[in-house]
Amino acid sequence: MTPPSTTATLNGTRVESKEYFEKRSLKKGAVSWVLLMSLGVAYVISGDFSGWNYGIANGGWAGMAIAFVVMGAMYLFMVLGLAEMSSAMPTAGAGYGFARRAMGKVGGAITGFAILIEYCICPAAISTFIADYVHALGLFADVPSALIIGFFFVVFVGIHLIGVGEALKIVFAITAIAVVALLAFVFGMIPHFNAANLFDIAPAVAGGSGLFPYGLTGVIAALPFGIWLFLAIEGVPLAAEESSNPKKDMPRGIIGAMLFLVVTGTLVLTAGGAGAEFAGSAAAPLVDALNYVGEFNIATFVNYVGLAGLVASFFSTVFSGSRQAFALSRAGYLPKFLSVTGSRKTPYVALLVLGVIAFSLAVVVQNGSILLNMAVFAACVSYAMMNLSHIILRKKEPTMERGFMVPGGVVLTSIAFVLSLVAIVSTFVVDSFAAGCTLLVLIALLIYFFLYSRKHLVGNAPEEEFAALKAAENELK
């Protein structure tokens, strides 16, 4: 649909003018599939350095290993579905756009708001880990965590304001440095591996065993921490409108990132070298494990260089939050001022507003573990909706042009859908208060949608147009 010269209405829906979209446009062709892949790795790589090990404290090493395998399967199957849908509908709205076409406005709103909440909370959680990491290095010991967190928000939101191409090239460089730190850890820990160390936690509950010291409940409680090793990779399609060739680049970038992450997990060597009980309570598991086995020089190297992993994930989740807010705002689901872009074609209003919200969350909550569980709950809601979208679109629109097709059809995404529902439940097992608070925020956004924004949607926004085209096709039939 070509935007009219002035605002109009079509079938009761507002149709915005060319000027409206000119003020809300992203830079086309700024991102290659290599940068998309590095973006996917950057989203997740911080999970290798901190946070995941608390799954051992909840479920023992075997419980965390099951969480890693099960949640890894969920992510792999979901990522394949996202690669297919993003090749067919390459828009900045990504998951919200997929759900909008599959399940209508309400489905789109639920999915989009859940993704937005995830990418607003993620940088808040990671920034608290960064502050802890900086203090652990003995740097700026007298500087309050709030100031360190604020510094990182100012610097890296500022870089994003410069431009997407420049920002993602910086992400690529930071991610490469973090990968070097992971490789150093692997080589340092291999000589100290002992399989017996994986099961050194004594049974802690009735029915517990050396394999599962916290029983079945512990395995369920470990699931959110298995998610932490993959959390946010689903954000790659949010760069679709800035990609050089989205139909080909999206599948390459997102699948390549997922395969890389599967082979770089640190679960086995950390506990196998230092012991599961030690790993489960370590503040900086990789560094602490290296120090524990006497690899002090490598530990120092990983300690300093490993900060890059946290920065890479912080940097990339700031990017994705701004793009999700941009897409929802451009289509009218959120206040429209959030989608305004500047001369460098970056959504500067969304970047600044979400930056302030995330910074405030980090400073007020001051607990990365709580924020992590809040982000995981919102993410899992979006996962259920996105997997369901793929299933519905395969059934309802089998002839839709797709640049990539999921092997096995809806079987894999159906499995991912069920696992995402299990993961939602697991967040309440770990921290019902954190999950409940996030649910309330999602409900509040949906109330805003039902009372106001659903009456002010922009019918010629890209994500809305995809749905409108399908509706028009159905009418012709």
Side-chain angles (χ1 to χ4, degrees), residues 65-412:
I66 290 174
F68 172 77
V69 172
V70 172
M71 292 297 98
M74 179 190 77
Y75 271 93
L76 178 60
F77 299 161
M78 178 183 71
V79 157
L80 292 171
L82 290 176
E84 178 179 313
M85 292 188 291
S86 61
S87 72
M89 294 175 283
T91 69
Y96 133 64
F98 311 151
R100 170 67 182 89
R101 178 146 179 170
M103 295 178 280
K105 297 174 184 178
V106 176
I110 294 171
T111 308
F113 291 150
I115 295 171
L116 179 66
I117 293 169
E118 173 195 356
Y119 285 120
C120 190
I121 297 176
C122 269
I126 297 168
S127 68
T128 65
F129 293 141
I130 290 174
D132 292 343
Y133 218 97
V134 169
H135 282 153
L137 290 171
L139 303 173
F140 308 106
D142 297 327
V143 177
S145 294
L147 289 181
I148 296 173
I149 291 169
F151 170 80
F152 277 90
F153 270 103
V154 169
V155 170
F156 291 109
V157 169
I159 292 173
H160 276 298
L161 292 172
I162 295 173
V164 63
E166 295 80 359
L168 294 190
K169 287 172 184 174
I170 292 173
V171 167
F172 181 86
I174 296 172
T175 304
I177 294 171
V179 170
V180 171
L182 284 179
L183 292 174
F185 167 80
V186 169
F187 287 117
M189 289 300 292
I190 284 177
H192 305 279
F193 177 79
N194 184 339
N197 291 336
L198 301 174
F199 310 104
D200 65 353
I201 300 177
V205 298
S209 64
L211 192 62
F212 301 109
Y214 303 99
L216 178 60
T217 302
V219 177
I220 296 173
L223 290 177
F225 301 96
I227 290 171
W228 186 239
L229 287 166
F230 302 98
L231 181 69
I233 191 174
E234 72 280 359
V236 173
L238 290 166
E241 288 186 33
E242 293 152 292
S243 169
S244 301
N245 186 349
K247 286 188 178 294
K248 293 183 178 180
D249 291 346
M250 280 295 142
R252 289 177 183 174
I254 194 168
I255 295 172
M258 184 66 199
L259 293 177
F260 178 88
L261 291 164
V262 167
V263 301
T264 55
T266 53
L267 172 63
V268 176
L269 288 176
T270 307
E277 185 172 13
F278 178 88
S281 59
L286 275 60
V287 174
D288 292 348
L290 286 166
N291 280 323
Y292 184 85
V293 300
E295 297 288 354
F296 303 114
N297 291 333
I298 299 177
T300 300
F301 174 78
V302 172
N303 206 6
Y304 281 92
V305 179
L307 182 60
L310 293 171
V311 172
S313 292
F314 173 82
F315 199 65
S316 54
T317 52
V318 167
F319 166 85
S320 287
S322 68
R323 268 49 181 186
Q324 186 66 75
F326 165 84
L328 289 169
S329 167
R330 180 178 60 182
Y333 288 80
L334 291 175
K336 293 174 184 175
F337 70 87
L338 287 171
S339 54
V340 173
T341 53
S343 60
R344 305 189 72 88
K345 299 301 180 182
T346 58
Y348 69 93
V349 180
L351 280 164
L352 293 172
V353 171
L354 265 64
V356 170
I357 294 173
F359 168 75
S360 301
L361 270 173
V363 172
V364 171
V365 178
Q366 293 186 359
N367 187 311
S369 180
I370 292 175
L371 289 168
L372 185 156
N373 204 57
M374 294 172 70
V376 168
F377 169 79
C380 290
V381 171
S382 73
Y383 298 165
M385 297 297 287
M386 288 188 290
N387 283 307
L388 187 58
S389 297
H390 178 264
I391 296 166
I392 292 173
L393 288 173
R394 268 295 188 96
K395 295 295 184 182
K396 293 174 65 176
E397 301 188 49
T399 60
M400 178 192 291
E401 183 181 349
R402 296 161 166 90
F404 169 81
M405 296 281 281
V406 177
V410 300
V411 174
L412 298 185

